[in-house]
Coordinates of all heavy atoms in Angstrom, one line a residue:
M1 N 104.5 98.2 95.3 CA 103.6 99.3 95.6 C 104.3 100.3 96.4 O 105.1 100.1 97.2 CB 102.4 98.7 96.7 CG 101.6 99.8 97.3 SD 100.4 100.5 96.2 CE 99.4 99.2 95.4
T2 N 104.1 101.5 95.9 CA 104.7 102.7 96.4 C 103.6 103.7 96.9 O 102.7 104.1 96.2 CB 105.6 103.5 95.3 OG1 106.6 102.6 94.9 CG2 106.3 104.7 96.0
L3 N 103.7 104.1 98.2 CA 102.9 105.0 98.8 C 103.7 106.3 99.1 O 104.4 106.4 100.3 CB 102.3 104.5 100.2 CG 101.5 103.2 100.1 CD1 101.2 102.8 101.4 CD2 100.3 103.4 99.2
S4 N 103.8 107.1 98.2 CA 104.9 108.3 98.4 C 104.2 109.4 99.0 O 104.8 110.5 99.2 CB 105.4 108.8 97.0 OG 104.3 109.2 96.1
A5 N 103.0 109.3 99.7 CA 102.3 110.5 100.3 C 103.0 110.6 101.7 O 103.6 109.6 102.2 CB 100.9 110.1 100.4
C6 N 102.8 111.7 102.3 CA 103.4 111.9 103.6 C 102.8 110.9 104.7 O 101.6 110.7 104.6 CB 103.1 113.4 104.0 SG 104.0 114.5 103.1
N7 N 103.6 110.4 105.5 CA 103.2 109.6 106.8 C 102.5 108.3 106.3 O 101.7 107.8 107.2 CB 102.3 110.4 107.7 CG 103.0 111.6 108.2 OD1 104.0 111.5 108.8 ND2 102.4 112.8 108.0
S8 N 102.6 107.8 105.3 CA 102.0 106.7 104.7 C 102.4 105.3 105.4 O 101.7 104.3 105.4 CB 102.0 106.4 103.1 OG 103.4 106.4 102.7
G9 N 103.5 105.4 106.2 CA 104.1 104.2 106.9 C 103.8 104.4 108.3 O 104.2 103.6 109.0
V10 N 103.1 105.5 108.8 CA 102.9 105.6 110.2 C 101.5 105.1 110.5 O 100.6 105.1 109.7 CB 102.8 107.3 110.5 CG1 102.6 107.4 111.9 CG2 104.1 107.8 110.1
G11 N 101.4 104.6 111.8 CA 100.1 104.0 112.2 C 100.1 103.8 113.7 O 100.9 104.3 114.4
K12 N 98.9 103.2 114.1 CA 98.6 103.0 115.5 C 99.3 101.6 115.9 O 99.3 100.7 115.2 CB 97.1 102.8 115.8 CG 96.6 104.2 115.9 CD 95.0 104.0 116.2 CE 94.7 103.8 117.7 NZ 93.3 103.7 117.9
I13 N 99.8 101.6 117.2 CA 100.3 100.3 117.6 C 99.0 99.7 118.3 O 98.3 100.2 119.0 CB 101.4 100.6 118.9 CG1 102.4 101.2 118.2 CG2 101.7 99.3 119.5 CD1 103.5 101.6 119.3
E14 N 99.0 98.4 117.8 CA 97.7 97.6 118.2 C 98.1 96.4 119.0 O 98.1 95.3 118.4 CB 96.9 97.2 116.9 CG 96.3 98.4 116.1 CD 95.2 99.2 116.9 OE1 94.5 98.5 117.8 OE2 95.0 100.3 116.5
G15 N 98.5 96.6 120.1 CA 98.8 95.4 121.0 C 99.9 94.6 120.4 O 100.9 95.0 119.9
E16 N 99.7 93.3 120.4 CA 100.7 92.3 120.0 C 100.7 92.3 118.5 O 101.7 91.7 117.9 CB 100.4 90.9 120.5 CG 100.5 90.8 122.0 CD 100.1 89.5 122.7 OE1 99.9 88.5 121.7 OE2 100.0 89.4 123.8
E17 N 99.7 92.8 117.9 CA 100.0 92.7 116.3 C 100.9 93.8 115.8 O 101.3 93.8 114.7 CB 98.4 93.2 115.7 CG 97.4 92.2 116.1 CD 96.0 92.7 115.5 OE1 95.9 93.5 114.7 OE2 95.0 92.3 116.1
G18 N 101.3 94.8 116.6 CA 102.3 95.8 116.1 C 101.6 97.0 115.6 O 100.4 97.4 115.9
V19 N 102.2 97.5 114.4 CA 101.7 98.8 113.9 C 100.7 98.5 112.7 O 100.8 97.6 112.0 CB 102.8 99.7 113.3 CG1 102.3 100.9 112.6 CG2 103.8 100.0 114.5
T20 N 99.6 99.0 112.9 CA 98.5 98.9 111.9 C 98.6 100.2 111.1 O 98.3 101.3 111.5 CB 97.0 98.8 112.6 OG1 97.1 97.6 113.4 CG2 96.0 98.6 111.6
N21 N 98.6 100.1 109.7 CA 98.8 101.2 108.9 C 98.4 100.8 107.4 O 98.2 99.7 107.2 CB 100.1 101.9 109.0 CG 101.3 100.9 108.6 OD1 101.2 99.9 107.9 ND2 102.5 101.2 109.1
L22 N 98.6 101.7 106.5 CA 98.4 101.3 105.0 C 99.4 100.3 104.5 O 98.9 99.4 103.7 CB 98.7 102.7 104.2 CG 97.3 103.6 104.2 CD1 97.7 104.8 103.3 CD2 96.2 103.0 103.6
V23 N 100.5 100.3 105.1 CA 101.5 99.2 104.5 C 101.1 97.9 104.9 O 101.1 96.9 104.0 CB 102.8 99.6 105.3 CG1 103.8 98.4 104.9 CG2 103.4 100.8 104.8
E24 N 100.5 97.7 106.1 CA 100.0 96.5 106.5 C 98.8 96.0 105.7 O 98.7 94.9 105.3 CB 99.7 96.5 108.1 CG 99.1 95.1 108.3 CD 98.5 95.1 109.8 OE1 98.1 96.3 110.3 OE2 98.3 94.0 110.4
A25 N 97.9 96.9 105.4 CA 96.7 96.8 104.6 C 97.1 96.2 103.2 O 96.6 95.2 102.7 CB 96.0 97.9 104.5
F26 N 98.1 96.9 102.5 CA 98.6 96.6 101.2 C 99.2 95.1 101.3 O 99.1 94.2 100.3 CB 99.4 97.5 100.6 CG 98.7 98.6 99.9 CD1 98.5 99.8 100.6 CD2 98.1 98.4 98.6 CE1 97.8 100.8 100.1 CE2 97.3 99.5 98.2 CZ 97.2 100.7 98.8
L27 N 100.1 94.9 102.3 CA 100.7 93.6 102.4 C 99.7 92.4 102.6 O 99.9 91.3 102.0 CB 101.7 93.6 103.5 CG 103.0 94.4 103.3 CD1 103.9 94.4 104.5 CD2 103.8 93.9 102.0
V28 N 98.8 92.6 103.4 CA 97.8 91.7 103.6 C 96.8 91.4 102.5 O 96.4 90.3 102.2 CB 96.9 92.1 104.9 CG1 95.5 91.2 105.0 CG2 97.5 92.0 106.2
S29 N 96.8 92.5 101.6 CA 95.9 92.3 100.5 C 96.7 91.7 99.3 O 96.1 91.5 98.3 CB 95.5 93.6 100.0 OG 94.6 94.2 100.9
G30 N 98.0 91.3 99.5 CA 98.8 90.6 98.4 C 99.9 91.4 97.9 O 100.7 90.8 97.1
A31 N 100.1 92.7 98.2 CA 101.4 93.3 97.8 C 102.6 92.6 98.3 O 102.7 92.2 99.5 CB 101.4 94.8 98.2
R32 N 103.8 92.4 97.5 CA 104.9 91.8 98.0 C 105.8 92.7 98.8 O 106.6 92.3 99.6 CB 105.6 91.1 96.9 CG 104.8 90.0 96.3 CD 105.7 89.2 95.2 NE 105.0 88.1 94.6 CZ 105.2 87.7 93.5 NH1 106.3 88.1 92.9 NH2 104.4 86.6 93.1
A33 N 105.8 94.0 98.4 CA 106.6 95.0 99.1 C 105.9 96.3 99.0 O 105.2 96.6 98.0 CB 108.0 95.0 98.4
V34 N 106.2 97.2 99.9 CA 105.6 98.5 99.9 C 106.6 99.5 100.3 O 107.4 99.3 101.2 CB 104.4 98.6 100.9 CG1 103.8 100.1 101.0 CG2 103.4 97.6 100.5
V35 N 106.8 100.6 99.5 CA 107.6 101.7 99.9 C 106.7 102.8 100.5 O 105.6 103.1 99.9 CB 108.4 102.2 98.7 CG1 109.1 103.7 99.2 CG2 109.3 101.3 98.1
A36 N 107.1 103.3 101.7 CA 106.2 104.2 102.5 C 107.1 105.2 103.2 O 108.2 105.1 103.4 CB 105.2 103.5 103.4
S37 N 106.4 106.4 103.5 CA 107.1 107.3 104.2 C 106.7 107.4 105.8 O 105.6 107.1 106.1 CB 106.9 108.8 103.7 OG 105.5 109.1 103.9
L38 N 107.8 107.7 106.6 CA 107.6 107.8 108.0 C 107.3 109.1 108.6 O 106.9 109.4 109.7 CB 108.8 107.1 108.7 CG 109.2 105.7 108.3 CD1 110.3 105.1 109.0 CD2 107.9 104.8 108.7
W39 N 107.4 110.2 107.7 CA 107.2 111.5 108.1 C 106.7 112.3 106.8 O 106.9 111.9 105.8 CB 108.2 112.1 108.9 CG 109.6 112.2 108.4 CD1 110.0 113.2 107.3 CD2 110.8 111.4 108.5 NE1 111.3 113.0 107.0 CE2 111.8 111.9 107.7 CE3 111.0 110.3 109.2 CZ2 113.1 111.3 107.7 CZ3 112.2 109.8 109.3 CH2 113.3 110.2 108.5
S40 N 106.4 113.6 107.1 CA 106.0 114.5 106.1 C 107.3 114.7 105.3 O 108.3 115.2 105.9 CB 105.5 115.8 106.6 OG 104.2 115.6 107.2
A41 N 107.3 114.7 104.0 CA 108.4 114.9 103.1 C 108.3 116.0 102.2 O 107.1 116.3 101.8 CB 108.7 113.6 102.3
D42 N 109.3 116.6 101.8 CA 109.3 117.7 100.8 C 108.9 117.1 99.5 O 109.5 116.1 99.0 CB 110.8 118.3 100.7 CG 110.9 119.4 99.8 OD1 110.5 120.5 100.2 OD2 111.3 119.1 98.6
D43 N 108.0 117.8 98.8 CA 107.5 117.3 97.5 C 108.6 117.3 96.4 O 108.6 116.4 95.7 CB 106.3 118.3 97.0 CG 105.1 118.1 97.7 OD1 104.9 117.2 98.5 OD2 104.3 118.9 97.8
T44 N 109.4 118.4 96.5 CA 110.4 118.4 95.4 C 111.5 117.2 95.5 O 111.7 116.4 94.5 CB 111.3 119.6 95.4 OG1 110.4 120.7 95.3 CG2 112.3 119.7 94.4
Y45 N 112.0 116.9 96.8 CA 112.9 115.8 97.0 C 112.2 114.5 96.8 O 112.9 113.5 96.3 CB 113.6 116.0 98.4 CG 114.7 117.0 98.4 CD1 114.5 118.3 98.7 CD2 116.0 116.7 97.9 CE1 115.3 119.3 98.7 CE2 116.9 117.7 97.9 CZ 116.6 118.9 98.2 OH 117.7 119.7 98.3
T46 N 110.9 114.4 97.2 CA 110.2 113.2 97.1 C 109.9 112.8 95.5 O 110.3 111.7 95.2 CB 108.8 113.2 97.7 OG1 109.0 113.4 99.2 CG2 108.1 112.0 97.5
G47 N 109.7 113.9 94.8 CA 109.5 113.5 93.4 C 110.8 113.1 92.7 O 110.9 112.1 92.0
A48 N 111.9 113.7 93.0 CA 113.3 113.4 92.6 C 113.6 112.0 93.0 O 114.2 111.2 92.3 CB 114.3 114.4 93.0
L49 N 113.5 111.6 94.3 CA 113.7 110.4 94.8 C 113.0 109.2 94.1 O 113.5 108.2 93.7 CB 113.4 110.3 96.3 CG 113.6 109.0 97.0 CD1 115.1 108.7 97.1 CD2 113.1 108.9 98.4
M50 N 111.6 109.5 93.9 CA 110.8 108.4 93.3 C 111.3 108.3 91.7 O 111.3 107.1 91.2 CB 109.4 108.8 93.3 CG 108.8 108.7 94.8 SD 108.9 107.0 95.3 CE 109.4 107.4 97.1
E51 N 111.6 109.4 91.1 CA 112.0 109.3 89.8 C 113.3 108.4 89.6 O 113.3 107.5 88.8 CB 112.3 110.7 89.2 CG 112.9 110.6 87.8 CD 113.1 112.0 87.2 OE1 112.8 113.0 87.8 OE2 113.8 112.1 86.3
R52 N 114.2 108.6 90.6 CA 115.6 107.9 90.5 C 115.2 106.4 91.0 O 115.7 105.5 90.5 CB 116.5 108.5 91.6 CG 116.9 109.9 91.0 CD 117.5 109.9 89.7 NE 118.7 109.0 89.6 CZ 119.2 108.6 88.4 NH1 118.8 109.0 87.3 NH2 120.1 107.7 88.4
F53 N 114.3 106.2 92.0 CA 114.0 104.8 92.4 C 113.4 104.1 91.2 O 113.8 102.9 90.9 CB 113.0 104.9 93.5 CG 112.4 103.7 93.9 CD1 113.1 102.7 94.5 CD2 111.0 103.4 93.8 CE1 112.6 101.4 94.9 CE2 110.4 102.2 94.0 CZ 111.2 101.2 94.7
Y54 N 112.5 104.7 90.5 CA 111.9 103.8 89.3 C 113.0 103.7 88.2 O 112.9 102.7 87.4 CB 110.7 104.5 88.7 CG 109.4 104.3 89.8 CD1 109.0 105.3 90.6 CD2 109.0 102.9 89.8 CE1 107.9 104.8 91.4 CE2 108.1 102.6 90.7 CZ 107.5 103.6 91.5 OH 106.4 103.2 92.4
I55 N 113.9 104.6 88.1 CA 114.9 104.4 87.0 C 115.7 103.2 87.4 O 116.0 102.2 86.5 CB 115.7 105.7 86.8 CG1 115.0 106.8 86.1 CG2 117.2 105.5 86.2 CD1 115.7 108.2 86.2
H56 N 116.1 103.1 88.6 CA 116.9 102.0 89.2 C 116.1 100.7 88.9 O 116.6 99.6 88.7 CB 117.4 102.1 90.5 CG 118.4 103.3 90.5 ND1 119.6 103.3 89.9 CD2 118.5 104.5 91.2 CE1 120.3 104.3 90.2 NE2 119.6 105.1 90.9
I57 N 114.8 100.8 89.3 CA 113.9 99.6 89.1 C 114.0 99.1 87.7 O 114.1 98.0 87.3 CB 112.5 99.9 89.5 CG1 112.4 100.0 91.1 CG2 111.5 98.8 89.1 CD1 112.6 98.7 91.9
A58 N 113.7 100.1 86.8 CA 113.7 99.8 85.3 C 115.1 99.1 84.9 O 115.1 98.3 83.9 CB 113.3 101.0 84.6
E59 N 116.2 99.5 85.5 CA 117.6 98.9 85.2 C 117.6 97.4 85.7 O 118.6 96.8 85.5 CB 118.6 99.6 85.9 CG 118.8 101.1 85.2 CD 119.7 102.0 86.2 OE1 120.1 101.6 87.2 OE2 120.1 103.0 85.6
G60 N 116.6 97.0 86.5 CA 116.5 95.6 86.9 C 117.1 95.5 88.3 O 117.4 94.3 88.8
Q61 N 117.4 96.5 88.9 CA 117.9 96.4 90.4 C 116.8 95.9 91.3 O 115.7 96.2 91.1 CB 118.4 97.7 90.8 CG 119.6 98.3 90.1 CD 120.1 99.6 90.6 OE1 119.7 100.0 91.7 NE2 120.9 100.2 89.8
P62 N 117.3 95.1 92.4 CA 116.3 94.7 93.4 C 115.8 96.0 94.1 O 116.5 97.0 94.1 CB 117.2 93.9 94.4 CG 118.4 93.3 93.5 CD 118.5 94.6 92.5
K63 N 114.6 95.7 94.6 CA 113.9 97.0 95.3 C 114.8 97.6 96.3 O 114.7 98.9 96.4 CB 112.5 96.5 95.8 CG 111.5 96.1 94.7 CD 110.2 95.4 95.4 CE 110.5 94.0 95.9 NZ 110.4 92.8 95.0
A64 N 115.3 97.0 97.2 CA 116.0 97.5 98.4 C 117.4 98.4 97.7 O 117.5 99.4 98.0 CB 116.4 96.5 99.4
T65 N 117.9 97.7 96.7 CA 119.1 98.4 96.1 C 118.7 99.5 95.3 O 119.4 100.6 95.4 CB 119.7 97.2 95.2 OG1 120.1 96.2 95.8 CG2 121.1 97.9 94.5
A66 N 117.5 99.5 94.7 CA 117.1 100.7 93.9 C 116.7 101.8 94.9 O 117.2 103.1 94.5 CB 115.9 100.2 93.1
L67 N 116.2 101.6 96.0 CA 115.8 102.7 96.9 C 117.1 103.2 97.5 O 117.2 104.5 97.6 CB 114.9 102.1 98.0 CG 114.4 103.2 99.0 CD1 113.6 104.4 98.3 CD2 113.5 102.5 100.0
R68 N 118.1 102.3 97.8 CA 119.3 102.8 98.3 C 120.0 103.8 97.4 O 120.5 104.8 97.8 CB 120.2 101.7 98.7 CG 121.6 102.1 99.3 CD 122.3 100.9 99.8 NE 123.6 101.2 100.3 CZ 124.7 101.6 99.5 NH1 124.7 101.3 98.1 NH2 126.0 101.8 100.2
H69 N 120.1 103.3 96.2 CA 120.8 104.0 95.1 C 120.0 105.4 94.9 O 120.7 106.3 94.5 CB 120.9 103.2 93.8 CG 121.9 102.1 93.8 ND1 122.1 101.1 93.0 CD2 123.1 102.1 94.7 CE1 123.0 100.4 93.3 NE2 123.7 100.8 94.4
A70 N 118.8 105.5 94.8 CA 118.0 106.6 94.7 C 118.3 107.6 95.8 O 118.6 108.8 95.5 CB 116.5 106.3 94.7
K71 N 118.5 107.1 97.0 CA 118.9 108.0 98.1 C 120.2 108.5 98.0 O 120.5 109.7 98.1 CB 118.7 107.3 99.4 CG 117.3 107.0 99.8 CD 117.2 106.2 101.1 CE 115.8 105.9 101.5 NZ 115.7 105.3 102.8
L72 N 121.2 107.7 97.5 CA 122.6 108.0 97.2 C 122.6 109.1 96.1 O 123.5 110.1 96.1 CB 123.4 106.8 96.9 CG 123.8 105.9 98.2 CD1 124.4 104.8 97.6 CD2 124.5 106.7 99.3
D73 N 121.7 108.9 95.2 CA 121.7 109.9 94.0 C 121.3 111.2 94.5 O 121.9 112.3 93.9 CB 120.7 109.4 93.0 CG 121.2 108.2 92.2 OD1 122.2 107.8 92.2 OD2 120.3 107.6 91.4
L74 N 120.4 111.3 95.4 CA 120.0 112.6 96.0 C 121.1 113.3 96.8 O 121.4 114.5 96.6 CB 118.7 112.6 97.0 CG 117.4 112.4 96.2 CD1 116.3 112.3 97.3 CD2 117.2 113.5 95.2
L75 N 121.8 112.4 97.4 CA 123.0 112.9 98.2 C 124.0 113.5 97.3 O 124.5 114.5 97.4 CB 123.6 111.9 99.1 CG 122.8 111.6 100.4 CD1 123.3 110.4 101.0 CD2 122.9 112.8 101.4
A76 N 124.4 112.8 96.2 CA 125.3 113.2 95.4 C 125.0 114.5 94.5 O 125.8 115.3 94.3 CB 125.5 112.0 94.1
R77 N 123.6 114.6 94.2 CA 123.1 115.7 93.5 C 123.3 116.9 94.4 O 123.6 118.0 93.9 CB 121.7 115.6 93.2 CG 121.0 116.7 92.4 CD 119.7 116.2 92.1 NE 118.7 117.3 92.5 CZ 117.4 117.2 92.6 NH1 116.9 116.1 92.0 NH2 116.6 118.1 93.0
G78 N 123.2 116.8 95.8 CA 123.4 117.9 96.7 C 124.7 118.1 97.2 O 124.9 118.8 98.1
G79 N 125.7 117.3 96.6 CA 127.1 117.4 97.0 C 127.3 116.9 98.3 O 128.2 117.2 99.1
G80 N 126.5 115.9 98.8 CA 126.6 115.1 100.0 C 126.0 115.9 101.1 O 126.2 115.6 102.3
H81 N 125.3 117.0 100.9 CA 124.9 117.9 102.0 C 123.4 118.0 102.0 O 122.8 119.1 102.5 CB 125.4 119.4 101.8 CG 127.0 119.3 101.9 ND1 127.7 118.9 103.0 CD2 127.8 119.6 100.9 CE1 128.9 119.1 102.7 NE2 129.1 119.4 101.4
V82 N 122.7 117.0 101.7 CA 121.3 117.0 101.6 C 120.9 116.3 103.1 O 121.2 115.0 103.2 CB 120.6 116.2 100.5 CG1 119.1 116.1 100.6 CG2 121.0 116.8 99.2
P83 N 120.2 116.9 104.0 CA 119.9 116.4 105.3 C 119.0 115.2 105.1 O 118.1 115.1 104.2 CB 119.1 117.4 106.0 CG 119.7 118.8 105.3 CD 119.8 118.3 103.9
P84 N 119.0 114.1 105.9 CA 118.2 112.9 105.9 C 116.7 113.3 105.9 O 116.0 112.5 105.4 CB 118.5 112.2 107.2 CG 119.9 112.5 107.5 CD 120.0 114.0 107.0
Y85 N 116.3 114.4 106.5 CA 114.9 114.8 106.4 C 114.4 114.7 105.1 O 113.1 114.3 104.9 CB 114.8 116.3 107.0 CG 113.3 116.7 106.7 CD1 112.4 116.4 107.5 CD2 113.2 117.6 105.7 CE1 111.1 117.0 107.3 CE2 111.9 118.1 105.5 CZ 110.8 117.7 106.2 OH 109.6 118.2 105.9
Y86 N 115.1 115.0 104.1 CA 114.6 115.0 102.6 C 114.5 113.7 102.0 O 113.9 113.5 101.0 CB 115.5 116.1 101.9 CG 115.2 117.4 102.3 CD1 116.3 118.1 103.0 CD2 114.0 118.0 102.0 CE1 116.1 119.3 103.5 CE2 114.0 119.5 102.5 CZ 115.0 120.0 103.3 OH 114.8 121.3 103.6
W87 N 115.4 112.7 102.5 CA 115.3 111.4 101.8 C 115.2 110.1 102.8 O 114.9 109.1 102.3 CB 116.7 111.2 101.0 CG 117.9 111.5 101.8 CD1 118.5 112.6 102.0 CD2 118.6 110.6 102.8 NE1 119.6 112.6 102.8 CE2 119.7 111.2 103.2 CE3 118.3 109.3 102.9 CZ2 120.5 110.7 104.1 CZ3 119.2 108.7 103.9 CH2 120.3 109.4 104.5
G88 N 115.3 110.4 104.0 CA 115.2 109.3 105.0 C 113.9 108.9 105.4 O 113.9 107.7 106.0
A89 N 112.9 109.5 104.9 CA 111.5 109.0 105.4 C 111.0 107.8 104.7 O 110.2 107.1 105.2 CB 110.6 110.2 105.0
F90 N 111.6 107.5 103.6 CA 111.1 106.3 102.7 C 111.8 105.1 103.1 O 113.0 104.9 103.1 CB 111.2 106.6 101.3 CG 110.3 107.7 100.9 CD1 110.7 109.1 100.9 CD2 109.0 107.5 100.6 CE1 109.9 110.1 100.6 CE2 108.0 108.4 100.3 CZ 108.5 109.8 100.3
V91 N 110.9 104.1 103.4 CA 111.4 102.8 103.9 C 110.7 101.7 103.0 O 109.6 102.0 102.4 CB 111.1 102.4 105.5 CG1 112.0 103.4 106.2 CG2 109.6 102.5 105.7
L92 N 111.4 100.5 102.7 CA 110.8 99.4 102.0 C 110.5 98.3 103.0 O 111.3 97.9 103.9 CB 111.9 99.0 101.0 CG 111.5 97.8 100.2 CD1 110.1 98.0 99.3 CD2 112.6 97.4 99.2
V93 N 109.2 97.9 103.0 CA 108.8 96.8 103.8 C 108.3 95.6 103.0 O 107.7 95.7 102.0 CB 107.6 97.3 104.7 CG1 107.1 96.2 105.6 CG2 108.0 98.5 105.5
G94 N 108.6 94.4 103.3 CA 108.2 93.2 102.7 C 109.5 92.6 101.8 O 110.6 92.6 102.2
E95 N 109.2 92.0 100.8 CA 110.1 91.3 99.9 C 111.0 92.4 99.3 O 110.6 93.2 98.6 CB 109.4 90.6 98.9 CG 110.4 89.8 97.9 CD 109.5 89.3 96.7 OE1 108.9 88.2 96.9 OE2 109.5 89.8 95.6
V96 N 112.3 92.3 99.7 CA 113.1 93.3 99.4 C 114.2 93.0 98.3 O 114.8 93.8 97.6 CB 113.9 94.1 100.5 CG1 112.9 94.7 101.5 CG2 114.7 93.1 101.2
R97 N 114.5 91.7 98.1 CA 115.7 91.3 97.5 C 115.5 91.1 95.9 O 116.4 91.4 95.1 CB 116.1 90.0 97.9 CG 116.9 90.2 99.2 CD 117.3 88.8 99.7 NE 117.9 89.1 101.2 CZ 118.3 88.2 101.8 NH1 118.7 87.0 101.3 NH2 118.7 88.5 103.0
N98 N 114.2 90.9 95.5 CA 114.0 90.6 94.2 C 113.7 91.9 93.4 O 113.1 92.7 93.8 CB 112.8 89.7 94.0 CG 113.0 88.3 94.7 OD1 114.2 87.8 94.7 ND2 112.0 87.5 95.0
A99 N 114.1 91.8 92.1 CA 113.8 92.7 91.1 C 112.4 92.7 90.6 O 111.8 91.6 90.9 CB 114.8 92.7 89.9
I100 N 111.8 93.6 90.1 CA 110.4 93.6 89.7 C 110.4 93.3 88.2 O 111.0 94.1 87.4 CB 109.7 95.1 89.7 CG1 109.6 95.4 91.4 CG2 108.4 95.0 89.2 CD1 109.2 96.7 91.6
P101 N 110.0 92.2 87.8 CA 110.0 91.9 86.3 C 109.0 92.9 85.6 O 107.9 93.0 85.7 CB 109.3 90.4 86.4 CG 108.6 90.4 87.6 CD 109.2 91.2 88.5
L102 N 109.8 93.5 84.5 CA 109.1 94.5 83.8 C 108.9 93.9 82.3 O 108.6 94.7 81.4 CB 109.9 95.7 83.7 CG 110.1 96.5 85.0 CD1 111.1 97.6 84.9 CD2 108.8 96.8 85.5
G103 N 109.0 92.7 82.0 CA 108.9 92.1 80.8 C 110.3 92.2 80.0 O 111.3 92.4 80.4
E104 N 110.0 92.0 78.7 CA 111.3 92.0 77.8 C 111.9 93.4 77.7 O 111.3 94.4 77.7 CB 110.9 91.6 76.4 CG 110.6 90.1 76.4 CD 110.3 89.7 74.9 OE1 111.2 90.2 74.0 OE2 109.5 88.9 74.9
R105 N 113.3 93.5 77.8 CA 113.9 94.8 77.7 C 114.6 94.9 76.4 O 115.0 94.2 75.7 CB 115.1 94.9 78.8 CG 114.2 95.0 80.2 CD 115.3 95.2 81.1 NE 114.6 95.2 82.6 CZ 115.1 94.7 83.5 NH1 116.3 94.2 83.4 NH2 114.4 94.6 84.6

């Protein structure tokens, strides 16, 4: 599950339960992993990041690796000078090691 909207990983601290947010709702509902943002992100960079993320997923990379490579792709595209504000908001929560089965390739 990908929540690419701004602040989708932000929530309220609810005592011992920790942070309550959309990510928790999707995990409790059965999602194995969720990508969410921790702050307002630039639309152009978010679109480029998500495009690269899904390309790496389609290549069979594990989710965490795909997100990391997508972030590195943005850095490379900007000559290594793209501030973290543009790519660092997105985090992966839940099952991170497995690839997403997409059927026969």
Side-chain angles (χ1 to χ4, degrees):
M1 168 68 56
T2 302
L3 304 172
S4 62
C6 296
N7 299 305
S8 57
V10 178
K12 274 179 88 174
I13 297 177
E14 297 290 339
E16 294 176 8
E17 294 177 25
V19 178
T20 302
N21 57 21
L22 280 175
V23 173
E24 179 189 22
F26 280 100
L27 292 172
V28 168
S29 297
R32 292 184 181 163
V34 179
V35 173
S37 72
L38 298 177
W39 60 78
S40 295
D42 177 83
D43 288 341
T44 302
Y45 282 95
T46 297
L49 178 73
M50 290 301 139
E51 179 181 344
R52 297 302 307 162
F53 174 64
Y54 283 109
I55 286 170
H56 292 301
I57 289 291
E59 293 171 348
Q61 294 182 13
K63 296 174 283 281
T65 303
L67 184 58
R68 179 178 182 275
H69 285 161
K71 291 177 178 184
L72 291 172
D73 291 347
L74 281 185
L75 282 171
R77 181 175 129 186
H81 302 292
V82 179
Y85 168 79
Y86 294 105
W87 51 264
F90 291 93
V91 295
L92 177 61
V93 180
E95 180 187 280
V96 299
R97 294 186 183 179
N98 296 337
I100 298 173
L102 298 176
E104 292 184 36
R105 292 192 188 138

